[in-house]
Amino acid sequence: MVDFIPQPVVKRLPMYYRYLKKLESEGRMFVSSAALAEMAGLTASQVRQDMNILGGEGCQGRGYPVGDTCRHIAELMGITRRKTMMIVGMGNLGSALVHYSSFDEKSFETVAVFDSDPCKIGTKVGSQIVRSADGIESFLKAQKADIAVLTLPAASAQAMAEKLYGLGVRGFWNFAPVDLHLPGEAAVVNVHLDESLQLLSYRMAHPDMWGAAEKEE
Amino acid sequence: MVDFIPQPVVKRLPMYYRYLKKLESEGRMFVSSAALAEMAGLTASQVRQDMNILGGEGCQGRGYPVGDTCRHIAELMGITRRKTMMIVGMGNLGSALVHYSSFDEKSFETVAVFDSDPCKIGTKVGSQIVRSADGIESFLKAQKADIAVLTLPAASAQAMAEKLYGLGVRGFWNFAPVDLHLPGEAAVVNVHLDESLQLLSYRMAHPDMWGAAEKEE
DNA sequence: TAGATTGTTAATCGATTAACAATC
DNA sequence: TAGATTGTTAATCGATTAACAATC
């Protein structure tokens, strides 16, 4: 177990977690690095390296205990602690995310949604009533939000992020097509759907240039 | 210019494209590797290496011509050729994607949407009328679709993908929380929103462990 | 015990960074 | 010309793979 986890390993954690959960639901007690590698499209060697970095709990001759490893990774990712989310921007994507329920284990709970369009304010989206973006400051002074989901136009994303950072928000899940610049304290993950589709376009244009092995990532 | 572009470079293409478009709209004629690196959070050296791999058209003393480079990357990504999309699964996310308009330059056009829920079939979502999933085969025999957007439950994603592959679809934009296994001909890009949120959770739990430089990616 | 599989070191591979001559 | 900036080679860094002794 190392106290620093390299980014490539960090990015594989959610995938490991997904496969381990699946194995757990199937009642498997142990899984070998070879079996896990096969599922995940990696090499057994890489799985063992990763598990070691994470603090390997493997049993020689049997493999890794599914439940323990799963919980260990969940702990590392911090999804055992519940987090509150506020969604800023009730466009199509924002509305869809209110309803989106695949978020594992109630780790993430939407507590408020905002928009600046007067036509939307006061309407109901799922279980939420859309609040005025003008009320964000007073809302955050009364109640903390761990994560801000930014589903608003590119032009307003940076300014909104800075405002929210100033009010104590430290997690930013950004769907606007810009890269946010925030102080080191903030954690940011960008979901650039348009760029994702462009990547697909590239792969369709060059079907030869990326091996089957890479399909998994 | 090399005929093989490494994956790390490929994944940076959409970002380069985004910044070059921005510069173009601002009327800039040339941009230096240093300036582009600054915007994108990379090193100037890396930008020059990338541009060289792409077939560098830089002018010594002035930098890279914005318009030409932009078009060149668009060409490489294949977004100059229009592509048709069908969306399978009219849940919250599927519906949001019908309306989603950030898809650049009309490169991607949604031509049909499907669902298997009888309550949804026949209803209108944006400009589209929801078709029965049973009609997919006859639809694809009458009309080609380049890309299938999979916004359906994990359990049915793999089977649906195989069926669509069999009917000639070669691009898969997968939002279901599974990794698709398809023949080498197929191009797949996964958007695992739940894993993206787990990554954010990790970063929030370990704010120290990833430098400001990495914020950009 | 014999077989399986880990933990860990060493070797390889590939990507990023540094440096600088070429040249606009 | 002088200044700026590329193109490109070499050096560095880090991640993946291979190998195998340790051990359950």
Side-chain angles (χ1 to χ4, degrees), chain A residues 100 200, chain B residues 86-90 93-94 97 136 147-154 156-162 164-165 169 171-178 180 182 188-192:
Chain A
Y100 199 61
L200 177 60
Chain B
M86 56 187 285
I87 306 182
V88 185
M90 277 294 109
L93 201 52
L97 292 174
I136 286 178
I147 297 172
V149 183
L150 302 179
T151 44
L152 35 68
S156 37
Q158 176 64 35
M160 177 57 75
E162 285 171 15
L164 295 169
Y165 183 85
V169 179
F172 294 84
W173 202 25
N174 175 45
F175 288 78
V178 290
L180 299 179
L182 292 171
V188 181
V189 167
N190 296 303
V191 181
H192 290 335

Side-chain angles (χ1 to χ4, degrees), chain A residues 87-100 110-115 117 119-131 151, chain B residues 92-93 96:
Chain A
I87 307 182
V88 185
M90 277 295 110
N92 304 304
L93 201 52
S95 311
L97 291 173
V98 177
H99 299 93
Y100 199 61
T110 300
V111 294
V113 307
F114 298 88
D115 202 288
D117 179 351
C119 299
K120 285 179 186 158
I121 296 164
T123 63
K124 220 170 172 192
V125 177
S127 57
Q128 300 290 323
I129 289 167
V130 181
R131 301 169 191 236
T151 44
Chain B
N92 304 305
L93 201 52

Side-chain angles (χ1 to χ4, degrees), chain A residues 156-178:
Chain A
S156 37
Q158 176 65 34
M160 177 58 74
E162 285 171 14
K163 177 177 172 181
L164 295 170
Y165 182 86
L167 292 163
V169 179
R170 288 296 175 268
F172 294 84
W173 202 25
N174 175 45
F175 288 79
V178 290

Side-chain angles (χ1 to χ4, degrees), chain B residues 21-22 25 52-53 72 107 141 173 205 212:
Chain B
K21 286 265 287 186
K22 189 164 171 247
S25 76
N52 254 170
I53 288 168
H72 181 219
S107 310
K141 278 177 176 160
W173 202 25

